Amino acid sequence: MKPSIPKGTRDFSPTEIANRNYIFNTIKAAFETFGFQPIETPSFENSSTLMGKYGDEGDRLIFKILNSGDFLAKADEKLLSEKASLQVTSQISEKALRYDLTVPFARYVVQHQNEITFPFKRYQIQPVWRADRPQKGRFREFYQCDADVVGSKSLWQEVEFIQLYDTVFSKLSLAGTTIKINNRKILSGIAEVIGAKDKLIDFTVALDKLDKIGKEGVVKEMISKGITEDAIEKVSPLFDFSGSNQDKISSLENMLQASEEGLKGVEELRFVCNTVEELGLQTASLEVDVTLARGLNYYTGAIFEVAAPKEVKMGSIGGGGRYDDLTGIFGMPDVSGVGISFGLDRIYLVLEELGLFKAVELPKPKVLFVNFGAAEALFSMKAIAALRKNNIKSELYPDDAKMKKQMNYANKREIEFVVIVGSQEIEKNEFTLKNMKSGEQDTCSISELVAKLSS
Amino acid sequence: MKPSIPKGTRDFSPTEIANRNYIFNTIKAAFETFGFQPIETPSFENSSTLMGKYGDEGDRLIFKILNSGDFLAKADEKLLSEKASLQVTSQISEKALRYDLTVPFARYVVQHQNEITFPFKRYQIQPVWRADRPQKGRFREFYQCDADVVGSKSLWQEVEFIQLYDTVFSKLSLAGTTIKINNRKILSGIAEVIGAKDKLIDFTVALDKLDKIGKEGVVKEMISKGITEDAIEKVSPLFDFSGSNQDKISSLENMLQASEEGLKGVEELRFVCNTVEELGLQTASLEVDVTLARGLNYYTGAIFEVAAPKEVKMGSIGGGGRYDDLTGIFGMPDVSGVGISFGLDRIYLVLEELGLFKAVELPKPKVLFVNFGAAEALFSMKAIAALRKNNIKSELYPDDAKMKKQMNYANKREIEFVVIVGSQEIEKNEFTLKNMKSGEQDTCSISELVAKLSS
């Protein structure tokens, strides 16, 4: 029976690790350049910290950890006999795996509020777990890379987060990303104007289909959802919502004159878009998108989502926004936060598809010493020690196997250089260095060896 | 109600992360210099992969994950009504958190055997989870840093692992560690000589107390455990087991003449010790210790354990050994492996106690731009963009708060430089740079600013 791993989880090979670390390190370096500091939280939290924070669907998808020992002792006999799984859960499980990085971060801020200097710019790169149905780009264990600022309502943060996205994707050579931006207050304004807050999601979902089903189709869908023709008429500019961000913002301003909150949203959006335009982006473009309704119940200001370059079919590769009351759920009110997340696994798939991992250095030795026996190995090990002190990745083939087998090993691992040490080399105190690509062979001293392999 | 985290788990602050990364990066760099490649495995495995691999105590300490959805549906009603926790576990839980890195590695090797080039030198740095009683240096979530080679019986690997320990601890400036070495075959030889394989653990446990209770005490304990006086006499040289490694090895050789396996162990130990002596170590010492019986049922050749410098009271900070049949449990026989592990959390405590984190750079910005309002902030953001392109960690204070508040923030975060931009600076297109330690102030252009902060 061949062993396997749980569905939705993955083993990572050395090559995959190298590619993933390339992304992690790029994101991490950008986070730190922007002044963010790392924190980490435990893989599992008390269930009370997580449950009820992500809606019913979220509660269902959270992985629960069984209490240790005689866990049934505390369980209610009647519920057990009724097999009431839902109610029994809290009696036999007190811990659960992290579902995202935001709720643990909120918990961290409240718990450590006296040690933190606000505004607190933190980043966190850790795995999260969801009992979701696995599919392409969706796993049960995956990494999130989050940066958030808490303790300031300044819109400069929104500007910085757009720059941060642009910096990371430019560094990854992923040109042509689109950073979509919206504002919760504009959505509220639209809801006000169409006269039905509860219809807002139906409205944005329908509007999002404009490209596919055209204006007529969208209007038809909206009416079927109970939005009146009169209301639709009031926001009709959204059906021809094109042109520059400035055009869109002006159009929104006109449309939302009747909504104070809507106009506040327009003002915020204008500041962010104007400032980003003034400062410039490297390879990304910023696009106002009023259909963006991501995490609607959560965000209170800016909403972000990043789309991969158009030639790649992939869901969003990042997202975020502002939430005015992050820590309220843990009893610390009025702490505004804003943050973004990078979707590591999807970014990986995009870079792979576009062949952008070419430059990644694999964690393999630069040089292999062929092993001809005890005396040769000992002589080699002295040289290897010198190479390693100079940070040159090197190894001795562990056994004095046949030359062909050792060379095969070097080829399979794509090791660039091989050193051959026989009795002649020992006698002359020198090394035969072979370039495995060119086939070129050279005799050299230990210091020449260090010099040649250092380059 | 202040939120909390489960016992035995930890939040890590930015400073702690920086210190931990210093250790991780040192270990990782050494692993790669020695030719090891990284892999990663999922946080949870199928229960069948883990259960039964660590003994009954291990099975008890493994964290089990509750099946999703209506998990009680499949459970046996009779067992539920009897509250038979142990038997019910396998009916409501199919996954479990990783308990160590060795078993998942064995599973990986078997599962991916056709993609792997043997000998396979892998390293793995990941957290593991154990439902153990928390105490100083023992946590329920902690990291292991493992390096193993599978597919070669060469003793050069043992030599390399000793060098690897020495390299890592030397790089961490942790001088004075002791790498203890023993060999399972020598222990088998001793068992043969004392005529009782089942008494071996009692024997080594008693012998280990020599320092504390003296020869007489040890002999008394051995006799109480049923080891005969005659047997004890045969291995009496172990009671005066001092001197150089060479002395000890010679003594063992004499003592184990009657045991073929014991002599094989002596030969292996001699090769490793002689070679290490010939090659030299930087700051560690290698010490033959026949009381070392770590993982007795597991190892088949060399056994290692590393002790912190004598001035620090701490259990072992690393350990490992050779196991001749690592992958047999997953149906792939005769694959020999040898490996070592670094105990991150204990190494952390040792470095902290010895004040060895001084050199670690904290992830904080090098420079803070004071925020005097919209125009000043915009001017600052242009400079910040230039600094960040030069990898200078920089940030703008997000709000135009009172100067005192902003300077307090800089001081609390121990930011080295502050840049002040007022209307005068904007007019002259220059920056006032303040060194927060010396109080020195300078006026400079953007290019001078980049140059000064790059150093």
Side-chain angles (χ1 to χ4, degrees):
Chain A
M1 192 203 66
K2 212 182 158 184
S4 64
I5 50 178
K7 67 176 176 184
T9 69
R10 293 161 290 169
D11 283 328
F12 295 109
S13 70
T15 303
E16 288 165 327
I17 298 276
N19 291 342
R20 286 166 67 86
N21 282 344
Y22 165 68
I23 305 175
F24 283 133
N25 291 337
T26 304
I27 294 173
K28 201 181 144 180
F31 283 170
E32 297 200 351
T33 306
F34 276 69
F36 291 89
Q37 300 178 283
I39 68 158
E40 284 180 16
T41 62
S43 295
F44 47 74
E45 296 269 353
N46 293 321
S47 298
S48 58
T49 300
L50 303 185
M51 298 298 283
K53 307 302 190 299
Y54 308 98
D56 289 347
E57 174 71 354
D59 279 358
R60 212 176 53 74
L61 299 183
I62 288 173
F63 279 112
K64 287 103 187 162
I65 294 173
L66 200 55
N67 291 344
S68 299
D70 189 9
F71 58 90
L72 286 177
K74 281 196 230 163
D76 184 277
E77 271 162 57
K78 190 157 166 294
L79 291 174
L80 278 180
S81 70
E82 288 165 3
K83 292 196 166 187
S85 294
L86 199 64
Q87 291 95 315
V88 168
T89 301
S90 61
Q91 301 179 345
I92 63 174
S93 161
E94 285 162 6
K95 291 183 282 289
L97 289 176
R98 190 167 51 213
Y99 180 83
D100 74 354
L101 301 180
T102 308
V103 169
F105 172 52
R107 194 264 311 143
Y108 180 98
V109 169
V110 176
Q111 195 173 328
H112 300 277
Q113 54 186 285
N114 297 325
E115 307 143 37
I116 292 173
T117 307
F118 293 95
F120 182 45
K121 299 176 76 167
R122 90 84 171 80
Y123 76 83
Q124 197 170 348
I125 299 180
Q126 291 193 276
V128 302
W129 296 269
R130 296 182 186 180
D132 223 334
R133 195 195 303 262
Q135 58 182 55
K136 192 196 169 191
R138 191 205 278 163
F139 305 96
R140 292 189 152 187
E141 172 174 47
F142 60 99
Y143 266 79
Q144 290 192 334
C145 313
D146 281 20
D148 292 78
V149 190
V150 288
S152 162
K153 293 189 175 178
S154 160
L155 291 172
W156 285 105
Q157 308 295 358
E158 275 81 343
V159 172
E160 286 219 313
F161 280 120
I162 292 165
Q163 292 183 314
L164 185 51
Y165 270 137
D166 178 51
T167 298
V168 167
F169 292 123
S170 299
K171 287 253 181 203
L172 291 172
S173 305
L174 187 62
T177 56
T178 304
I179 303 166
K180 299 178 192 171
I181 183 168
N182 194 10
N183 193 299
R184 175 65 170 93
K185 299 187 180 84
I186 288 174
L187 290 173
S188 297
I190 292 173
E192 239 182 285
V193 169
I194 63 173
K197 292 222 169 187
D198 60 324
K199 298 282 183 340
L200 184 57
I201 288 173
D202 292 335
F203 181 85
T204 54
V205 165
L207 188 61
D208 195 30
K209 296 179 184 163
L210 196 59
D211 279 353
K212 282 180 207 147
I213 58 177
K215 183 175 170 175
E216 248 176 85
V218 171
V219 170
K220 208 169 145 191
E221 181 169 325
M222 287 179 175
I223 288 171
S224 81
K225 296 285 183 184
I227 301 170
T228 65
E229 283 190 56
D230 190 40
I232 294 171
E233 181 54 32
K234 282 184 188 154
V235 293
S236 65
L238 292 175
F239 295 106
D240 305 296
F241 209 61
S242 59
S244 68
N245 288 337
Q246 300 301 340
D247 293 344
K248 291 180 184 172
I249 292 168
S250 300
S251 172
L252 284 169
E253 190 171 28
N254 289 331
M255 192 193 315
L256 299 175
Q257 283 300 324
S259 162
E260 195 185 333
E261 194 178 359
L263 288 178
K264 180 88 178 68
V266 169
E267 190 193 317
E268 290 182 11
L269 191 61
R270 178 173 277 144
F271 174 81
V272 173
C273 289
N274 283 358
T275 309
V276 168
E277 203 176 310
E278 169 93 22
L279 292 168
L281 293 177
Q282 296 170 63
T283 64
S285 27
L286 181 65
E287 185 184 303
V288 170
D289 179 355
V290 285
T291 66
L292 194 60
R294 188 191 168 85
L296 192 61
N297 300 316
Y298 191 70
Y299 293 126
T300 53
I303 304 173
F304 301 114
E305 194 168 280
V306 185
K310 288 183 183 61
E311 63 266 34
V312 186
K313 265 192 193 163
M314 184 63 66
S316 71
I317 56 175
R322 180 173 287 276
Y323 33 84
D324 272 342
D325 192 20
L326 172 67
T327 55
I329 42 172
F330 298 114
M332 185 183 173
D334 299 325
V335 178
S336 186
V338 54
I340 61 172
S341 187
F342 288 83
L344 185 274
D345 293 291
R346 287 191 178 169
I347 294 171
Y348 189 103
L349 292 171
V350 171
L351 296 189
E352 193 173 43
E353 193 169 328
L354 296 175
L356 293 174
F357 285 131
K358 270 173 255 163
V360 177
E361 200 193 331
L362 294 185
K364 64 185 178 193
K366 181 136 190 182
V367 58
L368 174 77
F369 281 65
V370 173
N371 186 336
F372 283 139
E376 292 85 350
L378 183 64
F379 184 82
S380 296
M381 284 293 277
K382 289 179 184 170
I384 287 173
L387 293 177
R388 287 175 179 164
K389 273 204 183 125
N390 286 279
N391 293 318
I392 298 161
K393 297 174 187 168
S394 20
E395 67 178 53
L396 171 73
Y397 192 87
D399 302 283
D400 55 347
K402 284 193 181 133
M403 181 75 170
K404 195 180 162 191
K405 191 176 176 188
Q406 301 193 40
M407 291 311 248
N408 262 347
Y409 173 84
N411 280 324
K412 272 196 184 164
R413 287 195 65 188
E414 300 177 54
I415 298 174
E416 221 178 320
F417 293 97
V418 158
V419 169
I420 297 153
V421 169
S423 52
Q424 210 179 328
E425 279 86 358
I426 296 182
E427 208 172 292
K428 294 189 181 169
N429 196 23
E430 62 186 23
F431 303 86
T432 301
L433 178 67
K434 181 174 179 170
N435 182 320
M436 292 294 280
K437 249 189 196 159
S438 67
E440 218 178 306
Q441 255 180 235
D442 253 337
T443 309
C444 52
S445 69
I446 177 69
S447 57
E448 287 166 343
L449 197 63
V450 170
K452 283 189 186 195
L453 295 171
S454 289
S455 56
Chain B
M1 192 204 65
K2 212 182 159 186
S4 64
I5 51 178
K7 68 176 176 183
T9 69
R10 293 161 290 170
D11 283 328
F12 295 108
S13 71
T15 303
E16 288 165 328
I17 299 275
N19 290 343
R20 285 166 67 85
N21 283 344
Y22 165 69
I23 304 175
F24 283 133
N25 292 338
T26 303
I27 294 173
K28 201 179 145 181
F31 283 171
E32 297 200 351
T33 306
F34 276 68
F36 291 88
Q37 301 178 284
I39 69 157
E40 284 180 16
T41 63
S43 296
F44 47 73
E45 297 270 353
N46 293 321
S47 298
S48 57
T49 300
L50 303 186
M51 298 297 283
K53 307 302 190 299
Y54 308 98
D56 289 348
E57 174 71 355
D59 279 358
R60 212 176 53 74
L61 298 182
I62 289 173
F63 279 113
K64 288 101 188 164
I65 294 172
L66 199 55
N67 291 343
S68 300
D70 189 9
F71 59 90
L72 285 176
K74 281 195 229 162
D76 184 277
E77 272 161 59
K78 190 157 164 291
L79 291 175
L80 279 180
S81 70
E82 288 166 3
K83 294 199 165 185
S85 294
L86 198 64
Q87 291 95 316
V88 168
T89 301
S90 62
Q91 301 179 345
I92 63 174
S93 161
E94 286 163 5
K95 291 184 282 289
L97 289 177
R98 191 167 51 214
Y99 180 82
D100 74 356
L101 301 179
T102 307
V103 169
F105 172 52
R107 195 264 311 142
Y108 180 99
V109 169
V110 176
Q111 195 173 330
H112 301 275
Q113 53 187 284
N114 297 325
E115 308 144 35
I116 292 173
T117 307
F118 292 95
F120 183 45
K121 300 176 76 168
R122 89 85 171 80
Y123 76 84
Q124 198 170 348
I125 300 179
Q126 291 194 277
V128 302
W129 296 269
R130 296 182 186 179
D132 223 333
R133 195 195 302 262
Q135 57 182 56
K136 192 194 169 192
R138 191 205 279 163
F139 305 97
R140 291 189 154 188
E141 172 174 46
F142 60 99
Y143 267 79
Q144 290 191 336
C145 313
D146 281 21
D148 292 79
V149 190
V150 288
S152 163
K153 293 188 176 179
S154 161
L155 290 172
W156 285 104
Q157 308 295 357
E158 275 81 342
V159 172
E160 286 219 313
F161 280 120
I162 292 164
Q163 292 183 314
L164 185 51
Y165 270 137
D166 178 51
T167 299
V168 167
F169 292 123
S170 299
K171 288 250 182 207
L172 291 172
S173 306
L174 186 63
T177 56
T178 304
I179 303 166
K180 297 178 193 171
I181 183 168
N182 195 10
N183 192 298
R184 174 65 169 96
K185 299 187 181 85
I186 288 174
L187 290 173
S188 298
I190 292 173
E192 240 182 284
V193 168
I194 64 172
K197 292 222 170 189
D198 60 325
K199 298 283 183 345
L200 184 56
I201 289 173
D202 291 335
F203 181 85
T204 53
V205 166
L207 188 60
D208 195 29
K209 296 178 185 163
L210 195 59
D211 279 354
K212 283 181 207 147
I213 59 177
K215 184 176 170 176
E216 247 176 90
V218 170
V219 170
K220 209 171 145 189
E221 180 169 328
M222 288 179 174
I223 288 171
S224 81
K225 296 285 181 183
I227 301 170
T228 65
E229 284 190 55
D230 190 40
I232 294 170
E233 182 53 33
K234 281 184 189 155
V235 293
S236 64
L238 292 174
F239 296 105
D240 306 294
F241 210 60
S242 60
S244 68
N245 289 337
Q246 300 300 343
D247 293 344
K248 290 181 185 173
I249 292 168
S250 300
S251 171
L252 284 169
E253 190 171 27
N254 289 331
M255 192 194 315
L256 299 175
Q257 282 301 322
S259 162
E260 196 183 336
E261 195 178 359
L263 288 177
K264 181 87 178 68
V266 170
E267 190 192 321
E268 290 182 12
L269 191 60
R270 177 173 280 146
F271 174 82
V272 173
C273 289
N274 283 357
T275 310
V276 168
E277 202 177 311
E278 169 92 24
L279 292 168
L281 294 176
Q282 297 170 62
T283 64
S285 26
L286 181 65
E287 185 184 302
V288 170
D289 179 354
V290 285
T291 65
L292 195 59
R294 187 190 168 86
L296 192 61
N297 300 316
Y298 192 71
Y299 294 126
T300 53
I303 305 172
F304 301 114
E305 195 169 278
V306 186
K310 288 182 183 61
E311 62 266 34
V312 187
K313 265 192 192 164
M314 184 64 67
S316 72
I317 56 175
R322 179 173 288 275
Y323 33 84
D324 271 342
D325 192 21
L326 172 67
T327 56
I329 43 172
F330 298 114
M332 186 183 175
D334 299 324
V335 178
S336 186
V338 54
I340 60 171
S341 187
F342 288 82
L344 185 276
D345 293 290
R346 288 194 178 167
I347 294 171
Y348 190 102
L349 293 172
V350 171
L351 296 189
E352 193 174 44
E353 193 169 328
L354 296 176
L356 292 173
F357 284 131
K358 270 174 254 162
V360 177
E361 199 193 331
L362 294 185
K364 64 185 178 192
K366 181 136 190 180
V367 58
L368 174 78
F369 282 64
V370 173
N371 186 336
F372 283 140
E376 292 86 349
L378 184 64
F379 185 81
S380 296
M381 283 293 277
K382 288 177 185 171
I384 287 172
L387 293 177
R388 286 176 180 165
K389 271 202 184 125
N390 285 281
N391 294 318
I392 298 161
K393 296 174 187 169
S394 20
E395 67 177 53
L396 171 74
Y397 193 86
D399 302 283
D400 54 349
K402 286 196 178 127
M403 181 73 170
K404 195 181 163 190
K405 191 177 176 187
Q406 300 192 41
M407 291 311 247
N408 261 347
Y409 174 83
N411 279 325
K412 272 196 184 164
R413 287 195 65 189
E414 299 177 56
I415 298 174
E416 220 178 321
F417 292 97
V418 158
V419 169
I420 297 153
V421 169
S423 52
Q424 210 180 327
E425 280 84 0
I426 296 181
E427 209 173 290
K428 294 189 180 168
N429 195 24
E430 62 186 24
F431 303 86
T432 300
L433 177 67
K434 181 174 178 169
N435 182 320
M436 293 294 280
K437 249 192 197 157
S438 67
E440 218 179 307
Q441 257 183 231
D442 252 336
T443 309
C444 53
S445 70
I446 177 69
S447 57
E448 286 166 344
L449 196 62
V450 170
K452 282 188 187 197
L453 294 172
S454 290
S455 56

